[in-house]
Amino acid sequence: MRYLPIFMKLTGRPALVVGGGSVAARKVRLLRKAGAEITIVAPKFCKELEQLTHEDKIIFSRCEFRDADISDVSLIIAATDNRAVNQKVYDLAQARHIPVNVVDSPDQCSFIMPSIIDRSPVQIAVSTGGSSPVLARLLRAKLESFVPAAYGRLAALVDEYRQRVKERFTDPDQRRFFWEAVLQGRVAELLFADRGDEARGALEAAIEDTSDSFDSTGEVYLVGAGPGDPDLMTFRALRLMQQADVVVYDRLVSPPILDMVRRDAEMIYAGKERNRHTLTQESINQLLVRLAKEGKRVLRLKGGDPFIFGRGGEEIETLAEDGIPFQVVPGITAAAGCASYAGIPLTHRDYAQSCIFVTGHLKDGTVDLDWEKLARPAQTIVFYMGLHTIDELGRQLVAHGMSKVTPVALVQQGTTQHQRVFIETLGSLPGLVEREDIKPPTIIIVGEVVNLSGKLKWFGDDGR
Ligand code: SAH
């Protein structure tokens, strides 16, 4: 271990910063956050530092550095562009055993500063021991995406109840189980959903609960997994996938996404192929209720966005009626995902001022749409579930006044490695699906914006 990681208490402690430029300003910002009493020595100060002159916790010493500036301080940072001055600060600090950091000069540091993920009071510090600050920053970015923004609130809540929990559970193992259940269950989710009072209520109930299982109410997470590319999932979706006990998923959820679910979670396939629903909608609704009532954290994973042609609304209506807690996590809907990956902006100042999402499939298999409204100029139409009725869709649009040469894009398995894009016209649609053996899931985009695909395409695919 090249360096020992420690967290230093600087509240009310004196710290010295030598240098008045933007690098010094960055360090001053951090020291202020840590509550230090800062003295800055420099003949000149940058704008950012000048704005702090009214602060009573910062002393500005407007002169060149002198040896006497090294007094009894807790920590010293040198951020000048003068090597001799930096060296001097370092030597003097070392002689007095004061921790010193010369910015960007590892050889002149008795301590180094990590990349910080700040979820105060939770702090995660990343260091590569000075080997590669870029790598540390990349790691930091990964961790930033992984640790919910509201994590600090969770730590503050634990702090508030720590003593009470200690008194209630005298056995350390039991205490650990308790906190593990609380920090990965309903209490945490309530806090993340900005419902602090309810989180406190649930935590208190769990403390008072005399049964063996803490936090025994289950919860349903209705989560949109996006159109296929796992990179397009939200941070929240990923976090809930890693904490769920059981996952109920649809056919549309792609295998690489399913691979990201917690390894020991139970997986239930709910099907949802056209006309071949493995489970009926009613039995899916009931399944979710039953699993949650068993105290499980249930992830209902859906392709795209759960509230866009996803029947998400129906599923949580049943939950709401049964008083089951739930949360809804949006996903990138197929229209947005496929359009981006096919280089088709759904709106464009020159070609389309509106965009309309419709389903090409109705319950009894017929298409009954407001064609007048769809066939308007300067509008993009996106058909979900329209593959089986595509000939009819094209015919009706033409019959209602659209030109036969209006461009149409079919995007099959959009955003995945199997994406195929076909650029056609309303007139060339008949027979296309059979000719090209196009399979679901496929989305159909109609409108002038489709022409931009030739120019704006950036994602590789197997279409033509
Ligand atoms: N809730 C989903 C839509 C479910 S309806 C969402 O927001 O995206 C199912 C239809 O979505 C499919 O018939 C198809 O038209 C479309 N679809 C979903 N994923 C797709 C994908 N990766 N590529 C192309 N179309 C897709």
Side-chain angles (χ1 to χ4, degrees), residues 85-136:
V85 172
N86 286 347
Q87 184 64 42
K88 186 119 201 223
V89 174
Y90 174 72
D91 291 340
L92 289 167
Q94 281 291 71
R96 299 179 69 155
H97 303 291
I98 301 171
V100 59
N101 177 292
V102 175
V103 179
D104 286 337
S105 174
D107 293 342
Q108 294 168 306
C109 289
S110 70
F111 72 92
I112 55 173
M113 308 264 268
S115 280
I116 302 166
I117 297 101
D118 187 4
R119 301 284 188 276
S120 288
V122 177
Q123 304 267 7
I124 305 171
V126 178
S127 161
T128 55
S131 310
S132 169
V134 176
L135 193 63

Side-chain angles (χ1 to χ4, degrees), residues 308-320:
I308 296 184
F309 304 123
R311 302 221 188 157
E314 296 170 42
E315 293 181 11
I316 56 172
E317 246 176 76
T318 321
L319 298 173

Side-chain angles (χ1 to χ4, degrees), residues 183-348:
L183 297 181
Q184 300 179 79
R186 184 74 189 135
V187 173
E189 294 309 320
L190 280 167
L191 214 55
F192 297 153
D194 217 6
R195 291 159 68 177
D197 290 345
E198 287 168 73
R200 271 190 186 75
L203 178 55
E204 292 190 6
I207 295 174
E208 299 310 327
D209 190 353
T210 45
S211 67
D212 286 344
S213 62
F214 322 109
D215 199 20
S216 58
T217 358
E219 179 175 6
V220 175
Y221 315 136
L222 178 60
V223 174
D229 182 348
D231 274 9
L232 294 179
M233 272 192 308
T234 59
F235 298 150
R236 186 180 281 239
L238 185 61
R239 181 172 62 75
L240 296 174
M241 283 167 81
Q242 312 249 318
Q243 109 178 0
D245 301 308
V246 47
V247 180
V248 182
Y249 65 98
D250 283 352
R251 183 185 55 93
L252 270 181
V253 180
S254 72
I257 288 179
L258 289 176
D259 279 347
M260 294 167 110
V261 167
R262 201 178 101 196
R263 289 272 169 262
D264 50 353
E266 183 189 348
M267 305 292 288
I268 301 175
Y269 176 57
K272 284 253 167 143
E273 230 157 325
R274 211 177 72 96
N275 300 336
R276 263 202 291 146
H277 288 192
T278 310
L279 294 177
T280 62
Q281 189 61 51
E282 186 50 31
S283 53
I284 295 175
N285 301 354
Q286 290 313 321
L287 175 70
L288 298 178
V289 170
R290 179 171 63 74
L291 291 168
K293 282 193 170 159
E294 286 170 12
K296 300 207 167 105
R297 292 165 297 184
V298 186
L299 181 85
R300 175 68 178 115
L301 196 56
K302 290 184 157 289
D305 181 275
F307 278 3
I308 296 184
F309 304 123
R311 302 221 188 157
E314 296 170 42
E315 293 181 11
I316 56 172
E317 246 176 76
T318 321
L319 298 173
E321 282 158 14
D322 277 77
I324 309 274
F326 60 83
Q327 55 177 296
V328 185
V329 182
I332 291 185
T333 190
C338 296
S340 295
Y341 278 53
I344 302 169
L346 290 176
T347 67
H348 188 288

Side-chain angles (χ1 to χ4, degrees), residues 11-220:
T11 328
R13 307 293 303 163
L16 174 70
V17 175
V18 184
S22 58
V23 179
R26 223 163 56 217
K27 301 298 172 188
V28 167
R29 221 183 296 150
L30 269 178
L31 292 173
R32 278 180 79 206
K33 272 197 186 168
E37 312 239 334
I38 311 164
T39 301
I40 320 175
V41 180
K44 251 187 13 219
F45 294 99
C46 67
K47 246 203 205 133
E48 187 181 343
L49 286 172
E50 284 294 354
Q51 282 168 357
L52 299 175
T53 41
H54 62 276
E55 291 269 326
D56 55 359
K57 283 215 170 131
I58 306 183
I59 299 169
F60 286 77
S61 179
R62 291 176 194 272
C63 53
E64 296 288 351
F65 171 77
R66 289 160 311 189
D67 296 7
D69 288 324
I70 306 274
S71 55
D72 247 352
V73 293
S74 297
L75 178 138
I76 301 173
I77 292 175
T80 79
D81 46 16
N82 183 325
R83 292 177 69 140
V85 172
N86 286 347
Q87 184 64 42
K88 186 119 201 223
V89 174
Y90 174 72
D91 291 340
L92 289 167
Q94 281 291 71
R96 299 179 69 155
H97 303 291
I98 301 171
V100 59
N101 177 292
V102 175
V103 179
D104 286 337
S105 174
D107 293 342
Q108 294 168 306
C109 289
S110 70
F111 72 92
I112 55 173
M113 308 264 268
S115 280
I116 302 166
I117 297 101
D118 187 4
R119 301 284 188 276
S120 288
V122 177
Q123 304 267 7
I124 305 171
V126 178
S127 161
T128 55
S131 310
S132 169
V134 176
L135 193 63
R137 270 202 297 278
L138 290 178
L139 261 170
R140 181 188 144 200
K142 280 187 200 292
L143 290 165
E144 287 280 10
S145 63
F146 197 68
V147 184
Y151 222 70
R153 272 187 245 157
L154 196 57
L157 186 77
V158 174
D159 210 23
E160 199 180 315
Y161 283 87
R162 201 168 50 183
Q163 198 50 37
R164 241 175 97 183
V165 171
K166 211 167 169 178
E167 284 158 18
R168 163 80 172 77
F169 305 102
T170 41
D171 173 21
D173 275 346
Q174 212 187 10
R175 210 155 55 225
R176 183 168 53 81
F177 288 141
F178 175 82
W179 281 125
E180 274 173 7
V182 164
L183 297 181
Q184 300 179 79
R186 184 74 189 135
V187 173
E189 294 309 320
L190 280 167
L191 214 55
F192 297 153
D194 217 6
R195 291 159 68 177
D197 290 345
E198 287 168 73
R200 271 190 186 75
L203 178 55
E204 292 190 6
I207 295 174
E208 299 310 327
D209 190 353
T210 45
S211 67
D212 286 344
S213 62
F214 322 109
D215 199 20
S216 58
T217 358
E219 179 175 6
V220 175

